[in-house]
Amino acid sequence: RLLHGAHRDRGDVMDIFRVLAELLERARLELLALGDLRSALGDRECTATVGRALEYAARALDALASALVRGATAQAAKAALEGFDAVQDALRDLHARSTERRAQRQLMIVRARIGRLGGQLRAALRNVNIAGSRGDLRRSAIEERLPRALRPRSALAILRANLDIASTAFRHALRCGVALALAVGVERALAVPHGYWIPMTIAIVLKPDFAGTFRVGTLRVAGTLAGLALTTALVHYAFGSEWERLGLMALLAIAFRLLATMHYGIAVTVLTGMVVILLSFHGLPPGPTMLARGGATVLGSALALVTYALWPSWETARVRPALANMLAAYREYMTSVLQGPQAARASARSSARSARTTAQASLDRLRGEPRPDAALLALAEDVFANANRFVRACMALEAVWPEAASAPARQRIVDFTHALGHSLDLLVARLRDASAPLPASLREAERALTAELAAMPADDEDGLLASIGEALDRMTDTVDTLAWRLRQPDARARPA
């Protein structure tokens, strides 16, 4: 329920757990498939080798579970995965020695399954190490070592990237600024009693989406009027003394604390009652207060709705294109990291940040629409969370790539990222058209390249090649995960 329920939590920390749950689900399917394959294998050596792979996978999963419980890094899982990689090498040797066609085919299937399982376990290890509050601190410490422009959560870089009319966040800020300026000018010009409630209501009610604005505006008007009527009646007829009003305000404060997160209308009702009582302590009678606040709330909510009606948007048909644009921007950023000049990298990075903010705003607006498409919402959340893993890996790659100018496998790395870029293009097309084909897995090519990097002469004092290999591993796993997610039945939403 915390990950996928109607009232699920949000934010980067929960996105990590959501990605982790997907990885473990995919690992479970691979384990079931490997169990069936193992029972069908005729070769005793191959059966024993698969059994060792399953044993190492079990050790890794146990270590991951223990690390999650303790909030620590999963060092034991890393050791288990080293044994798992040795089993993959043994299977490769078996495949090379095999002469029987049927056995070769079985070994090819087994190697593919085990390769995917290994990629999922390594990705799960990385996510466990940064999961939870302690993991978030570890991730922040890692990101602090990057240049400021390469930090994914750099507030200044995000702000600069969104100072563009194409940014949803910028357009909403512009909409809010114009509406608030008009509201302040009107209430000052007309000398409206307690007129400050008009711009305050607009600031609270006006949301980036029409559905959210309408819902919050309606609940705010209903809650304000209900709170004014109820509290005015109580103060006038039942709670005349100051001590009685003080006790009533204490009860309302407790109710606000307990009920505010459950329903916005109830929260407004209770909060309005507290405001009426507080003003009564200053000698303001409840009757005029009720009329002034009620009128200002109705007017402010109406102005917010009219403001948004002049520039509306519905997200059911927009969220998939927004996610597709985000992946396309990430693809351009990855290409610029490996082949573009410094200015092109900075521009592509800024465009990627802006596209991410736009996609996140679109996702937030989709959540606020009345009766949103649950399958589309789940798909959008999963794509957004996994795509962020990809761009973080790109930023890590950008941090070390300029120093790897003399790397012997530099061209091989560039060629592999071309294949990754093609896979991303297919994912972008799939998001825009549910009938478009999905990319094939690049896991085998990635493992071969990583093994080639690991076999290079040991003069890599700064660990540049290891960092590049880890980034490519993360990027490959993200692409595979996105392809798997878009292949699911509930991902076949209407074409954008």
Side-chain angles (χ1 to χ4, degrees):
R1 289 182 179 179
L2 287 175
L3 294 178
H4 301 290
H7 302 288
R8 53 189 173 275
D9 288 342
R10 318 291 185 194
D12 290 345
V13 174
M14 295 309 298
D15 280 346
I16 291 172
F17 282 111
R18 189 172 288 114
V19 169
L20 183 59
E22 275 190 10
L23 290 169
L24 294 177
E25 172 61 17
R26 293 177 61 203
R28 182 184 71 85
L29 296 175
E30 295 294 349
L31 287 169
L32 289 174
L34 281 171
D36 293 339
L37 284 172
R38 184 189 179 194
S39 62
L41 291 174
D43 185 85
R44 182 176 299 178
E45 184 179 3
C46 182
T47 302
T49 305
V50 174
R52 291 207 315 274
L54 294 175
E55 180 182 349
Y56 281 120
R59 292 181 187 176
L61 289 170
D62 284 339
L64 292 175
S66 176
L68 280 174
V69 171
R70 294 182 290 108
T73 55
Q75 293 298 327
K78 186 176 181 180
L81 287 177
E82 290 176 357
F84 190 91
D85 290 340
V87 172
Q88 287 185 276
D89 294 338
L91 282 171
R92 189 180 296 110
D93 293 340
L94 279 175
H95 189 236
R97 296 200 313 267
S98 178
T99 57
E100 186 183 351
R101 187 169 182 177
R102 179 174 178 273
Q104 285 182 336
R105 184 173 181 277
Q106 286 183 330
L107 281 168
M108 182 177 65
I109 296 173
V110 168
R111 285 181 59 198
R113 290 281 184 185
I114 288 182
R116 288 195 292 267
L117 177 60
Q120 290 146 20
L121 292 176
R122 281 189 294 273
L125 170 62
R126 286 190 293 267
N127 278 269
V128 165
N129 287 340
I130 59 174
S133 56
R134 295 181 182 177
D136 194 51
L137 292 175
R138 287 192 289 269
R139 182 175 63 169
S140 297
I142 294 172
E143 292 176 355
E144 285 296 323
R145 295 196 291 268
L146 295 173
R148 187 176 297 277
L150 298 181
R151 296 173 191 172
R153 292 183 282 188
S154 173
L156 183 59
I158 293 172
L159 177 62
R160 286 176 176 171
N162 284 280
L163 292 178
D164 190 309
I165 194 64
S167 168
T168 301
F170 183 80
R171 292 199 303 270
H172 179 61
L174 188 62
R175 185 189 297 122
C176 284
V178 172
L180 288 173
L182 290 175
V184 171
V186 169
E187 65 96 358
R188 293 288 177 88
L190 300 179
V192 178
H194 301 288
Y196 56 85
W197 275 325
I198 298 176
M200 183 182 73
T201 299
I202 291 176
I204 295 173
V205 169
L206 190 57
K207 303 295 181 186
D209 60 298
F210 183 82
T213 302
F214 181 79
R215 176 179 175 273
V216 173
T218 303
L219 290 175
R220 186 165 185 84
V221 170
T224 298
L225 296 179
L228 289 170
L230 178 62
T231 310
T232 299
L234 289 174
V235 171
H236 187 74
Y237 293 106
F239 295 85
S241 70
E242 291 186 354
W243 287 106
E244 289 174 338
R245 280 180 283 155
L246 187 62
L248 177 60
M249 191 177 72
L251 290 175
L252 292 175
I254 295 172
F256 180 80
R257 178 66 181 85
L258 295 176
L259 303 175
T261 57
M262 297 174 58
H263 195 274
Y264 181 71
I266 296 175
V268 172
T269 301
V270 174
L271 183 61
T272 300
M274 294 171 60
V275 171
V276 171
I277 295 174
L278 283 171
L279 292 177
S280 71
F281 285 128
H282 287 274
L284 298 177
T289 300
M290 180 179 71
L291 293 176
R293 180 169 170 79
T297 299
V298 171
L299 181 58
S301 297
L303 286 174
L305 289 170
V306 169
T307 301
Y308 196 91
L310 296 175
W311 202 352
S313 61
W314 293 98
E315 293 309 312
T316 301
R318 295 171 182 263
V319 67
R320 288 174 70 98
L323 292 169
N325 291 339
M326 180 181 69
L327 282 182
Y330 288 177
R331 187 246 196 276
E332 292 301 320
Y333 173 49
M334 178 189 69
T335 302
S336 70
V337 165
L338 277 80
Q339 297 177 280
Q342 176 65 32
R345 290 201 299 271
S347 176
R349 191 190 316 120
S350 180
S351 298
R353 289 185 190 274
S354 179
R356 178 187 184 278
T357 304
T358 299
Q360 185 172 25
S362 178
L363 180 55
D364 290 339
R365 291 194 296 272
L366 179 64
R367 292 187 185 114
E369 289 187 354
R371 297 183 181 179
D373 186 335
L376 179 61
L377 178 58
L379 171 68
E381 288 181 336
D382 292 342
V383 171
F384 184 80
N386 281 284
N388 285 335
R389 297 166 58 210
F390 184 88
V391 78
R392 288 178 185 275
C394 285
M395 286 182 168
L397 181 61
E398 183 181 0
V400 298
W401 184 249
E403 302 175 36
S406 59
R410 187 179 177 91
Q411 188 56 46
R412 287 267 289 113
I413 295 170
V414 172
D415 293 341
F416 179 76
T417 58
H418 283 322
L420 272 177
H422 178 65
S423 296
L424 281 174
D425 289 339
L426 292 176
L427 291 174
V428 169
R430 180 65 168 228
L431 281 169
R432 290 175 174 155
D433 183 355
S435 63
L438 285 168
S441 175
L442 294 173
R443 178 56 66 189
E444 281 289 328
E446 182 273 324
R447 293 309 299 161
L449 177 57
T450 303
E452 182 180 336
L453 293 177
M456 298 255 169
D459 57 353
D460 186 21
E461 297 180 0
D462 297 327
L464 296 180
L465 294 179
S467 298
I468 292 172
E470 182 183 0
L472 295 177
D473 186 19
R474 291 161 60 187
M475 293 155 72
T476 303
D477 184 75
T478 299
V479 170
D480 285 352
T481 301
L482 288 171
W484 173 82
R485 185 62 182 86
L486 290 172
R487 192 177 290 115
Q488 302 310 302
D490 62 353
R492 303 185 187 278
R494 296 182 299 276

